[in-house]
Amino acid sequence: MKRHGVGTTITEHILREERENPEATGAFTTLLNELIVAAKVVSREVNKAGLVDILGSTGRINVQDENVQKLDAFANQVLIERMQHIGQLCCMGSEENADLIDIPPDYPKGNYILLFDPLDGSSNIDVNVSIGTIFGIFKKNSEETNIDILLTDVLQPGIKQVAAGYFIYGSSTIMVYTTGKGTGVHGFTLYPSLGEFLLSHKNIQVPEKGKIYSVNEGNYSHWDEKTRALIDYFKTDDKETGRPYTSRYVGSLVADFHRNLLKGGIFMYPADKKDPKKPTGKLRLMVEANPLAMVVKEAGGYASDGHGPILEIDPSELHQRTPLYIGSKKDVELAEAFISGKYTGETS
Ligand code: FDP
């Protein structure tokens, strides 16, 4: 509903979802609202990232400023500082921190666990390519609030996430999130003049099959035969099965994922032999793969590690890595058939 020329704000949307959930206490609404504030701060900083140098070189100000930090460290700090005091979290986990992040003793604790990648795609910051923040939210198993949280409380399979989503800092800033259970995936665009996220992408559905494949093909020589066969498949001419697919790879997971979510297709970061320390690929299960897997599932798509659903992986480490195939259901099922050696012939 339009109100005085403004569409649905994200706050309205979250409150509506809260009213429709009889078990809601308002705790989750508080959590999301504070997360949105943190993302607005990061978005503002990302938008002026290039200006720091410009101002420094022309006006000779700021360039020696000790407070000018790397943006990913800044985003991490903003998220931790904004989220730790709200009273709804029992701990956090960040891609930037080796261990779990405790809630300081002078703040109240809650039942939610927030896991995030504060600035994904950070190698793209310097070149003005879209980057993002990814988040997944779990509930701890026990209702008791004043107990110490152990890593085992956090290491839950992605299927147990109660919400997940991302912010993309691109030509505009967009938040996409879901609370699962059929509530849909919705996108909200930040209107800078209002400082508000407004509903812009209602109930996003990823096409069942796409035309795009997204992968860092520079890793070709490090892949096994099955992975190479899959990529060769997408590139081979065959009108009946809609091939060749078109290749699109930004190198920012959030940006590549977001494009394929809206247009259809598959994003892949396969296992490779490039780095013996990362035999299962580069991407992190808890802060990258799981949240996007929840989003894509709710939008009608699928995420796999090549052998089964990402959301069913039982994690053993906070920073566990996983191969990732994610996007249109039929494309990901096909990839899974190739990788697990079950591919038998042409599919449409
Ligand atoms: P980045 O290293 O720039 O932070 O997981 C991080 C990530 O980017 C993803 O956003 C992106 O999809 C991937 O790594 C890119 O990796 P490659 O450079 O190996 O393609």
Side-chain angles (χ1 to χ4, degrees), residues 95 117 119-124 216 219 249 251-254 256 267 269 274 282-284 288:
E95 204 242 14
D117 181 353
L119 213 54
D120 178 71
S122 45
S123 58
N124 280 320
N216 183 346
N219 291 331
Y249 189 73
S252 256
L253 175 61
V254 178
D256 281 310
F267 172 91
Y269 208 109
K274 200 164 61 177
K282 180 178 182 187
L283 301 181
R284 313 224 185 192
E288 294 180 311

Side-chain angles (χ1 to χ4, degrees), residues 99-318:
D99 300 317
L100 286 178
I101 305 158
D102 290 328
I103 304 302
D106 37 339
Y107 295 129
K109 282 187 185 174
N111 290 323
Y112 289 103
I113 299 163
L114 173 68
L115 301 182
F116 57 88
D117 181 353
L119 213 54
D120 178 71
S122 45
S123 58
N124 280 320
I125 294 171
D126 296 349
V127 288
N128 229 352
V129 170
S130 302
I131 46 185
T133 299
I134 307 176
F135 64 91
I137 301 168
F138 290 90
K139 252 189 153 175
K140 75 173 158 55
N141 294 324
S142 125
E143 285 295 314
E144 246 187 273
T145 43
N146 269 328
I147 52 168
D148 284 337
I149 292 301
L150 303 171
L151 189 56
T152 45
D153 297 311
V154 175
L155 295 178
Q156 306 178 35
I159 195 92
K160 295 216 168 153
Q161 289 170 119
V162 294
Y166 56 89
F167 296 87
I168 177 165
Y169 313 111
S171 46
S172 53
T173 294
I174 293 182
M175 175 190 187
V176 173
Y177 88 101
T178 183
T179 49
K181 297 184 190 149
T183 53
V185 174
H186 308 286
F188 300 82
T189 302
L190 181 62
Y191 277 61
S193 55
L194 291 171
E196 262 292 4
F197 281 97
L198 301 181
L199 182 62
S200 52
H201 301 71
K202 198 175 174 200
N203 203 11
I204 299 170
Q205 289 289 309
V206 58
E208 201 182 20
K209 181 179 182 304
K211 282 281 292 171
I212 295 173
Y213 78 98
S214 313
V215 69
N216 183 346
E217 236 171 314
N219 291 331
Y220 194 88
S221 66
H222 302 289
W223 293 332
D224 66 15
E225 283 309 314
K226 288 170 186 162
T227 309
R228 286 188 210 172
L230 169 67
I231 308 305
D232 292 343
Y233 174 92
F234 286 126
K235 291 157 60 161
T236 305
D237 257 318
D238 182 53
K239 259 202 181 136
E240 239 175 77
T241 51
R243 290 177 290 151
Y245 276 37
T246 194
S247 166
R248 291 282 183 278
Y249 189 73
V250 170
S252 256
L253 175 61
V254 178
D256 281 310
F257 175 80
H258 185 67
R259 180 201 51 242
N260 293 5
L261 181 72
L262 299 183
K263 298 197 168 190
I266 180 167
F267 172 91
M268 298 167 269
Y269 208 109
D272 62 49
K273 289 178 263 168
K274 200 164 61 177
D275 182 347
K277 279 188 264 149
K278 301 174 194 164
T280 54
K282 180 178 182 187
L283 301 181
R284 313 224 185 192
L285 175 65
M286 302 299 282
V287 295
E288 294 180 311
N290 268 342
L292 300 185
M294 181 178 185
V295 169
V296 86
K297 184 180 179 210
E298 188 67 19
Y302 180 42
S304 168
D305 68 351
H307 299 278
I310 287 285
L311 291 173
E312 287 174 18
I313 297 175
D314 242 324
S316 53
E317 285 172 50
L318 185 58

Side-chain angles (χ1 to χ4, degrees), residues 63-82:
V63 92
Q64 303 299 334
D65 188 341
E66 310 250 314
N67 291 325
V68 177
Q69 303 175 24
K70 279 188 72 198
L71 257 187
D72 39 7
F74 173 84
N76 196 38
Q77 200 179 327
V78 168
L79 276 150
I80 294 171
E81 283 176 8
R82 288 227 68 93

